[in-house]
Amino acid sequence: MLTKRLPARLLGSWAFWLLLLASASLRVVEVEGPGHRALLLLSPWQEGRVEFVNSVTGRPVLLEFYPVWDFRGFHAYTDPDTEAYYTGGEYAWNEVLARERRRELRYCSETGLALKLGGRWFRAQGGCLRVRLLWPP
């Protein structure tokens, strides 16, 4: 008799709903780079950012994004010459980036890059950083 009432009691429990809400609002992200691997818990409104210097133009580039159900909300900040380097002057970079949806990101740089997720910074020089969204599936 107790086993028949257990699901109903569980669904009526505030702890169950709180746990369900918490798990739905958390993102599990894996970051891999030269010599390290980290798992992070993020909320969907925590910003990710990548900073590097374009090796051709010598100008800084900043990319921002959010871990919603996938990585999205990308926006790039740089000077017009560097944007033209990436786009050939053929399209508006941020309009295209805004449509991107990815579960995995890979950033590589010979000169160095920095990735910030949550409150943690990761760096790579002469290598790559890979970021994967593990949860939600």
Side-chain angles (χ1 to χ4, degrees), residues 11 22 24 47 51 53 55 71 81 90 102 109-110:
L11 289 175
E47 181 183 77
E51 299 175 3
V53 173
S55 60
F71 297 116
D81 291 338
E90 297 293 319
R102 306 279 176 156
S109 174
E110 289 300 317

Side-chain angles (χ1 to χ4, degrees), residues 19-91:
L19 182 63
L20 184 64
L21 179 62
S23 68
S25 66
L26 289 178
R27 306 297 181 250
V28 179
V29 176
E30 175 186 53
V31 179
E32 286 184 283
H36 70 274
R37 179 177 176 262
L39 291 175
L40 304 172
L41 287 176
L42 302 174
S43 68
W45 52 87
Q46 284 183 286
E47 181 183 77
R49 62 189 298 146
V50 177
E51 299 175 3
F52 60 94
V53 173
N54 178 285
S55 60
V56 173
T57 66
R59 303 272 174 77
V61 179
L62 167 63
L63 302 172
E64 295 177 339
F65 59 90
Y66 294 90
V68 184
W69 296 105
D70 43 26
F71 297 116
R72 64 174 67 186
F74 291 91
H75 194 90
Y77 300 92
T78 192
D79 65 284
D81 291 338
T82 303
E83 181 174 345
Y85 169 79
Y86 288 111
T87 65
E90 297 293 319
Y91 57 91

Side-chain angles (χ1 to χ4, degrees), residues 108-127:
C108 301
S109 174
E110 289 300 317
T111 59
L113 66 95
L115 165 75
K116 183 180 181 190
L117 284 171
R120 289 191 56 188
W121 284 94
F122 302 90
R123 299 186 192 291
Q125 187 162 344

Side-chain angles (χ1 to χ4, degrees), residues 1-17:
M1 193 72 158
L2 180 62
T3 58
K4 289 183 180 180
R5 290 192 343 228
L6 187 58
R9 293 178 95 193
L10 184 61
L11 289 175
S13 164
W14 64 268
F16 170 79
W17 291 106

